[in-house]
Amino acid sequence: MHQPKHLQDAGLKSTLPRLKVLELLENVEDRHLTAEAIYRKLLEAGEEIGLATVYRALTQFEAAGLVTRHHFEGGQAVFELERGLHHDHIVCVHCGRVEEFYDKVIEKRQQSIAEKLGYTLRDHNMTLYGECHGPDCPGQKKKGPAAG
Amino acid sequence: MHQPKHLQDAGLKSTLPRLKVLELLENVEDRHLTAEAIYRKLLEAGEEIGLATVYRALTQFEAAGLVTRHHFEGGQAVFELERGLHHDHIVCVHCGRVEEFYDKVIEKRQQSIAEKLGYTLRDHNMTLYGECHGPDCPGQKKKGPAAG
DNA sequence: GTGCGAATGATAATCGTTCTCATTTGCAAT
DNA sequence: ATTGCAAATGAGAACGATTATCATTCGCAC
Ligand SMILES: [Mn+2]
Ligand SMILES: [Mn+2]
Ligand SMILES: [Zn+2]
Ligand SMILES: [Zn+2]
């Protein structure tokens, strides 16, 4: 339970819907959520909020640096609470599980590639897609004890 | 002027609209085009084709391995003719210019990161965003001879 | 408590892309 | 060259994600 007074510091008026979205992002287990998932979870928690407001709040949080938006495969953007530590992602193509990683060698190489090509690097998107081998992942063909 | 007989080889019936799209991709200067850009160019060239057909052709070409689809920033997907050589991209945030590159160190590192995290790597997306310094790029603040 | 500009939320609109379906095409067998 | 028919086309409707509109409500300084 953090105390999300961050809003005023970020130049945003502290309103109830915004606090609800921020609180959810701070306390939910899965860091990477679509706007609709956030909306649904708030409704399930008995909160009264509109989807448009969730989108607006997330966009404002992003502009304020409180939240990061990612575009993985599959239409919907996902949002995560910013923790100040840059990282990239690997996503399971079967179950959608997301892991984070940071690789200094890659980051440096990206920088020097940009320079070599005459660009000033401003940002990058690196997402790996693979098959996780978690027991709950539908990508794991379950070998029954007898051949079937 | 290539001879795009590739279609039958790829298991696709050789139809006029498909040939037109493929021919354009083979002969156009800019490798990376949106579906609408392709559609527009064909119309400008006097061809008669529908946007839905362009989308369909590109999707089929992608499934057949003739074309690759990328999702850079900004809504529209871009397509490019496959040349068999994997590469990644750097895109200018001002003028949209695209350069390609391939970095063996990064590719290897992606593989070992995936392994370390327990994934079997299947694909990846790496796009760098930066400011190019081309003379025509609107990101270049034109310094006039006198201070303004 | 009042007042007012900012925020909200229901809904319409937008944008890129895919789907529907009546018409046309490619092509193989006559 | 015809014919036949499944596959392809294209105009427009439909779709999913996100944003815009606008009447109502809220946050907050007085
Ligand atoms: Mn993350
Ligand atoms: Mn390319
Ligand atoms: Zn998985
Ligand atoms: Zn540029």
mmCIF file of all heavy atoms in Angstrom, chain B residues 89-117:
data_model
loop_
_atom_site.group_PDB
_atom_site.id
_atom_site.type_symbol
_atom_site.label_atom_id
_atom_site.label_comp_id
_atom_site.label_asym_id
_atom_site.label_seq_id
_atom_site.Cartn_x
_atom_site.Cartn_y
_atom_site.Cartn_z
ATOM 1 N N HIS B 89 15.672 -2.113 -37.946
ATOM 2 C CA HIS B 89 15.474 -0.789 -38.536
ATOM 3 C C HIS B 89 15.727 0.343 -37.558
ATOM 4 O O HIS B 89 15.515 0.191 -36.366
ATOM 5 C CB HIS B 89 14.038 -0.667 -39.065
ATOM 6 C CG HIS B 89 13.706 -1.685 -40.100
ATOM 7 N ND1 HIS B 89 13.199 -2.916 -39.794
ATOM 8 C CD2 HIS B 89 13.844 -1.665 -41.458
ATOM 9 C CE1 HIS B 89 13.014 -3.618 -40.896
ATOM 10 N NE2 HIS B 89 13.404 -2.893 -41.925
ATOM 11 N N ILE B 90 16.159 1.448 -38.105
ATOM 12 C CA ILE B 90 16.179 2.699 -37.353
ATOM 13 C C ILE B 90 15.363 3.709 -38.142
ATOM 14 O O ILE B 90 15.522 3.826 -39.368
ATOM 15 C CB ILE B 90 17.611 3.195 -37.067
ATOM 16 C CG1 ILE B 90 17.564 4.479 -36.228
ATOM 17 C CG2 ILE B 90 18.403 3.390 -38.352
ATOM 18 C CD1 ILE B 90 18.916 4.831 -35.603
ATOM 19 N N VAL B 91 14.465 4.401 -37.457
ATOM 20 C CA VAL B 91 13.497 5.288 -38.100
ATOM 21 C C VAL B 91 13.684 6.694 -37.563
ATOM 22 O O VAL B 91 13.785 6.896 -36.344
ATOM 23 C CB VAL B 91 12.059 4.820 -37.801
ATOM 24 C CG1 VAL B 91 11.049 5.705 -38.504
ATOM 25 C CG2 VAL B 91 11.866 3.363 -38.199
ATOM 26 N N CYS B 92 13.716 7.667 -38.455
ATOM 27 C CA CYS B 92 13.828 9.060 -38.022
ATOM 28 C C CYS B 92 12.483 9.543 -37.498
ATOM 29 O O CYS B 92 11.470 9.440 -38.189
ATOM 30 C CB CYS B 92 14.288 9.958 -39.164
ATOM 31 S SG CYS B 92 14.383 11.704 -38.659
ATOM 32 N N VAL B 93 12.502 10.082 -36.289
ATOM 33 C CA VAL B 93 11.253 10.538 -35.671
ATOM 34 C C VAL B 93 10.725 11.803 -36.339
ATOM 35 O O VAL B 93 9.580 12.182 -36.134
ATOM 36 C CB VAL B 93 11.439 10.796 -34.160
ATOM 37 C CG1 VAL B 93 11.787 9.492 -33.448
ATOM 38 C CG2 VAL B 93 12.499 11.852 -33.902
ATOM 39 N N HIS B 94 11.559 12.462 -37.131
ATOM 40 C CA HIS B 94 11.119 13.697 -37.787
ATOM 41 C C HIS B 94 10.598 13.432 -39.195
ATOM 42 O O HIS B 94 9.516 13.857 -39.551
ATOM 43 C CB HIS B 94 12.262 14.713 -37.840
ATOM 44 C CG HIS B 94 12.705 15.170 -36.499
ATOM 45 N ND1 HIS B 94 11.855 15.751 -35.601
ATOM 46 C CD2 HIS B 94 13.907 15.105 -35.889
ATOM 47 C CE1 HIS B 94 12.515 16.044 -34.492
ATOM 48 N NE2 HIS B 94 13.763 15.658 -34.629
ATOM 49 N N CYS B 95 11.405 12.755 -40.015
ATOM 50 C CA CYS B 95 11.042 12.632 -41.425
ATOM 51 C C CYS B 95 10.636 11.213 -41.817
ATOM 52 O O CYS B 95 10.223 10.980 -42.946
ATOM 53 C CB CYS B 95 12.198 13.091 -42.318
ATOM 54 S SG CYS B 95 13.650 12.034 -42.263
ATOM 55 N N GLY B 96 10.742 10.252 -40.885
ATOM 56 C CA GLY B 96 10.302 8.903 -41.203
ATOM 57 C C GLY B 96 11.289 8.077 -41.997
ATOM 58 O O GLY B 96 11.009 6.926 -42.339
ATOM 59 N N ARG B 97 12.433 8.638 -42.314
ATOM 60 C CA ARG B 97 13.449 7.896 -43.054
ATOM 61 C C ARG B 97 13.803 6.604 -42.328
ATOM 62 O O ARG B 97 13.885 6.579 -41.100
ATOM 63 C CB ARG B 97 14.696 8.778 -43.195
ATOM 64 C CG ARG B 97 15.757 8.219 -44.091
ATOM 65 C CD ARG B 97 16.884 9.244 -44.259
ATOM 66 N NE ARG B 97 18.185 8.680 -43.957
ATOM 67 C CZ ARG B 97 19.267 9.416 -43.728
ATOM 68 N NH1 ARG B 97 19.176 10.738 -43.724
ATOM 69 N NH2 ARG B 97 20.412 8.844 -43.480
ATOM 70 N N VAL B 98 13.999 5.549 -43.073
ATOM 71 C CA VAL B 98 14.285 4.234 -42.497
ATOM 72 C C VAL B 98 15.626 3.729 -43.003
ATOM 73 O O VAL B 98 15.885 3.746 -44.202
ATOM 74 C CB VAL B 98 13.184 3.215 -42.883
ATOM 75 C CG1 VAL B 98 13.520 1.840 -42.329
ATOM 76 C CG2 VAL B 98 11.823 3.685 -42.385
ATOM 77 N N GLU B 99 16.482 3.315 -42.081
ATOM 78 C CA GLU B 99 17.704 2.614 -42.463
ATOM 79 C C GLU B 99 17.647 1.205 -41.889
ATOM 80 O O GLU B 99 17.013 0.968 -40.857
ATOM 81 C CB GLU B 99 18.955 3.317 -41.907
ATOM 82 C CG GLU B 99 19.175 4.719 -42.414
ATOM 83 C CD GLU B 99 19.656 4.779 -43.854
ATOM 84 O OE1 GLU B 99 20.143 3.758 -44.380
ATOM 85 O OE2 GLU B 99 19.530 5.866 -44.443
ATOM 86 N N GLU B 100 18.327 0.310 -42.551
ATOM 87 C CA GLU B 100 18.370 -1.070 -42.085
ATOM 88 C C GLU B 100 19.751 -1.377 -41.533
ATOM 89 O O GLU B 100 20.745 -0.796 -41.959
ATOM 90 C CB GLU B 100 18.065 -1.998 -43.264
ATOM 91 C CG GLU B 100 16.757 -1.656 -43.937
ATOM 92 C CD GLU B 100 16.447 -2.556 -45.115
ATOM 93 O OE1 GLU B 100 17.399 -3.090 -45.721
ATOM 94 O OE2 GLU B 100 15.258 -2.728 -45.420
ATOM 95 N N PHE B 101 19.782 -2.297 -40.610
ATOM 96 C CA PHE B 101 21.081 -2.748 -40.118
ATOM 97 C C PHE B 101 20.941 -4.168 -39.604
ATOM 98 O O PHE B 101 19.840 -4.669 -39.362
ATOM 99 C CB PHE B 101 21.602 -1.821 -39.017
ATOM 100 C CG PHE B 101 20.749 -1.804 -37.783
ATOM 101 C CD1 PHE B 101 20.960 -2.720 -36.769
ATOM 102 C CD2 PHE B 101 19.731 -0.878 -37.643
ATOM 103 C CE1 PHE B 101 20.181 -2.719 -35.625
ATOM 104 C CE2 PHE B 101 18.936 -0.874 -36.506
ATOM 105 C CZ PHE B 101 19.153 -1.794 -35.494
ATOM 106 N N TYR B 102 22.075 -4.799 -39.444
ATOM 107 C CA TYR B 102 22.112 -6.143 -38.864
ATOM 108 C C TYR B 102 23.294 -6.178 -37.925
ATOM 109 O O TYR B 102 24.393 -5.749 -38.299
ATOM 110 C CB TYR B 102 22.275 -7.191 -39.968
ATOM 111 C CG TYR B 102 22.450 -8.573 -39.411
ATOM 112 C CD1 TYR B 102 21.343 -9.309 -38.992
ATOM 113 C CD2 TYR B 102 23.718 -9.139 -39.278
ATOM 114 C CE1 TYR B 102 21.489 -10.579 -38.459
ATOM 115 C CE2 TYR B 102 23.878 -10.420 -38.753
ATOM 116 C CZ TYR B 102 22.761 -11.130 -38.341
ATOM 117 O OH TYR B 102 22.910 -12.381 -37.815
ATOM 118 N N ASP B 103 23.088 -6.640 -36.728
ATOM 119 C CA ASP B 103 24.172 -6.692 -35.751
ATOM 120 C C ASP B 103 24.226 -8.081 -35.130
ATOM 121 O O ASP B 103 23.351 -8.467 -34.361
ATOM 122 C CB ASP B 103 23.962 -5.634 -34.677
ATOM 123 C CG ASP B 103 25.175 -5.511 -33.780
ATOM 124 O OD1 ASP B 103 25.309 -6.343 -32.842
ATOM 125 O OD2 ASP B 103 26.010 -4.617 -34.025
ATOM 126 N N LYS B 104 25.271 -8.795 -35.467
ATOM 127 C CA LYS B 104 25.363 -10.186 -35.029
ATOM 128 C C LYS B 104 25.456 -10.287 -33.518
ATOM 129 O O LYS B 104 24.903 -11.204 -32.905
ATOM 130 C CB LYS B 104 26.588 -10.838 -35.688
ATOM 131 C CG LYS B 104 26.650 -12.341 -35.473
ATOM 132 C CD LYS B 104 27.764 -12.982 -36.310
ATOM 133 C CE LYS B 104 27.466 -12.932 -37.790
ATOM 134 N NZ LYS B 104 28.452 -13.662 -38.617
ATOM 135 N N VAL B 105 26.143 -9.336 -32.902
ATOM 136 C CA VAL B 105 26.281 -9.375 -31.438
ATOM 137 C C VAL B 105 24.919 -9.285 -30.769
ATOM 138 O O VAL B 105 24.588 -10.044 -29.856
ATOM 139 C CB VAL B 105 27.195 -8.230 -30.955
ATOM 140 C CG1 VAL B 105 27.187 -8.165 -29.439
ATOM 141 C CG2 VAL B 105 28.607 -8.427 -31.487
ATOM 142 N N ILE B 106 24.083 -8.347 -31.261
ATOM 143 C CA ILE B 106 22.754 -8.196 -30.669
ATOM 144 C C ILE B 106 21.931 -9.464 -30.883
ATOM 145 O O ILE B 106 21.283 -9.965 -29.962
ATOM 146 C CB ILE B 106 22.037 -6.968 -31.258
ATOM 147 C CG1 ILE B 106 22.713 -5.683 -30.761
ATOM 148 C CG2 ILE B 106 20.564 -6.971 -30.868
ATOM 149 C CD1 ILE B 106 22.075 -4.409 -31.277
ATOM 150 N N GLU B 107 21.992 -9.991 -32.086
ATOM 151 C CA GLU B 107 21.194 -11.189 -32.376
ATOM 152 C C GLU B 107 21.589 -12.329 -31.432
ATOM 153 O O GLU B 107 20.728 -13.037 -30.901
ATOM 154 C CB GLU B 107 21.394 -11.608 -33.834
ATOM 155 C CG GLU B 107 21.028 -10.539 -34.857
ATOM 156 C CD GLU B 107 19.528 -10.385 -35.075
ATOM 157 O OE1 GLU B 107 18.800 -11.370 -34.923
ATOM 158 O OE2 GLU B 107 19.092 -9.249 -35.388
ATOM 159 N N LYS B 108 22.874 -12.509 -31.220
ATOM 160 C CA LYS B 108 23.321 -13.589 -30.335
ATOM 161 C C LYS B 108 22.886 -13.342 -28.900
ATOM 162 O O LYS B 108 22.476 -14.249 -28.188
ATOM 163 C CB LYS B 108 24.850 -13.705 -30.393
ATOM 164 C CG LYS B 108 25.334 -14.477 -31.601
ATOM 165 C CD LYS B 108 26.853 -14.704 -31.534
ATOM 166 C CE LYS B 108 27.346 -15.536 -32.702
ATOM 167 N NZ LYS B 108 28.694 -15.142 -33.160
ATOM 168 N N ARG B 109 22.983 -12.079 -28.522
ATOM 169 C CA ARG B 109 22.606 -11.752 -27.151
ATOM 170 C C ARG B 109 21.112 -11.986 -26.921
ATOM 171 O O ARG B 109 20.685 -12.450 -25.863
ATOM 172 C CB ARG B 109 22.932 -10.285 -26.877
ATOM 173 C CG ARG B 109 23.562 -10.042 -25.539
ATOM 174 C CD ARG B 109 24.977 -9.474 -25.645
ATOM 175 N NE ARG B 109 25.895 -10.129 -24.698
ATOM 176 C CZ ARG B 109 25.846 -9.969 -23.386
ATOM 177 N NH1 ARG B 109 24.898 -9.235 -22.816
ATOM 178 N NH2 ARG B 109 26.719 -10.564 -22.605
ATOM 179 N N GLN B 110 20.300 -11.670 -27.895
ATOM 180 C CA GLN B 110 18.856 -11.914 -27.773
ATOM 181 C C GLN B 110 18.605 -13.401 -27.544
ATOM 182 O O GLN B 110 17.816 -13.786 -26.677
ATOM 183 C CB GLN B 110 18.145 -11.446 -29.047
ATOM 184 C CG GLN B 110 18.124 -9.938 -29.196
ATOM 185 C CD GLN B 110 17.572 -9.499 -30.535
ATOM 186 O OE1 GLN B 110 17.604 -10.239 -31.517
ATOM 187 N NE2 GLN B 110 17.068 -8.272 -30.589
ATOM 188 N N GLN B 111 19.315 -14.198 -28.318
ATOM 189 C CA GLN B 111 19.155 -15.645 -28.178
ATOM 190 C C GLN B 111 19.512 -16.108 -26.769
ATOM 191 O O GLN B 111 18.764 -16.858 -26.135
ATOM 192 C CB GLN B 111 20.054 -16.333 -29.212
ATOM 193 C CG GLN B 111 20.020 -17.836 -29.152
ATOM 194 C CD GLN B 111 18.635 -18.396 -29.451
ATOM 195 O OE1 GLN B 111 17.990 -17.967 -30.388
ATOM 196 N NE2 GLN B 111 18.178 -19.335 -28.627
ATOM 197 N N SER B 112 20.625 -15.615 -26.256
ATOM 198 C CA SER B 112 21.054 -16.131 -24.948
ATOM 199 C C SER B 112 20.200 -15.551 -23.826
ATOM 200 O O SER B 112 19.970 -16.220 -22.807
ATOM 201 C CB SER B 112 22.541 -15.849 -24.729
ATOM 202 O OG SER B 112 22.782 -14.473 -24.692
ATOM 203 N N ILE B 113 19.691 -14.356 -24.016
ATOM 204 C CA ILE B 113 18.764 -13.802 -23.016
ATOM 205 C C ILE B 113 17.512 -14.661 -22.932
ATOM 206 O O ILE B 113 17.055 -15.025 -21.852
ATOM 207 C CB ILE B 113 18.393 -12.348 -23.376
ATOM 208 C CG1 ILE B 113 19.577 -11.425 -23.114
ATOM 209 C CG2 ILE B 113 17.169 -11.892 -22.585
ATOM 210 C CD1 ILE B 113 19.432 -10.053 -23.747
ATOM 211 N N ALA B 114 16.963 -14.996 -24.106
ATOM 212 C CA ALA B 114 15.764 -15.827 -24.132
ATOM 213 C C ALA B 114 16.023 -17.152 -23.419
ATOM 214 O O ALA B 114 15.234 -17.589 -22.569
ATOM 215 C CB ALA B 114 15.320 -16.063 -25.574
ATOM 216 N N GLU B 115 17.150 -17.781 -23.734
ATOM 217 C CA GLU B 115 17.471 -19.061 -23.096
ATOM 218 C C GLU B 115 17.563 -18.912 -21.588
ATOM 219 O O GLU B 115 16.983 -19.688 -20.830
ATOM 220 C CB GLU B 115 18.794 -19.587 -23.645
ATOM 221 C CG GLU B 115 18.645 -20.257 -25.002
ATOM 222 C CD GLU B 115 19.996 -20.599 -25.608
ATOM 223 O OE1 GLU B 115 21.006 -20.629 -24.858
ATOM 224 O OE2 GLU B 115 20.064 -20.806 -26.839
ATOM 225 N N LYS B 116 18.296 -17.880 -21.166
ATOM 226 C CA LYS B 116 18.493 -17.676 -19.738
ATOM 227 C C LYS B 116 17.153 -17.522 -19.013
ATOM 228 O O LYS B 116 16.989 -17.948 -17.869
ATOM 229 C CB LYS B 116 19.348 -16.425 -19.525
ATOM 230 C CG LYS B 116 19.819 -16.223 -18.107
ATOM 231 C CD LYS B 116 20.608 -14.914 -17.983
ATOM 232 C CE LYS B 116 21.553 -14.720 -19.167
ATOM 233 N NZ LYS B 116 22.266 -13.420 -19.140
ATOM 234 N N LEU B 117 16.184 -16.926 -19.695
ATOM 235 C CA LEU B 117 14.883 -16.693 -19.058
ATOM 236 C C LEU B 117 13.932 -17.865 -19.266
ATOM 237 O O LEU B 117 12.776 -17.797 -18.858
ATOM 238 C CB LEU B 117 14.259 -15.406 -19.609
ATOM 239 C CG LEU B 117 15.025 -14.128 -19.249
ATOM 240 C CD1 LEU B 117 14.427 -12.923 -19.970
ATOM 241 C CD2 LEU B 117 15.013 -13.897 -17.742
#
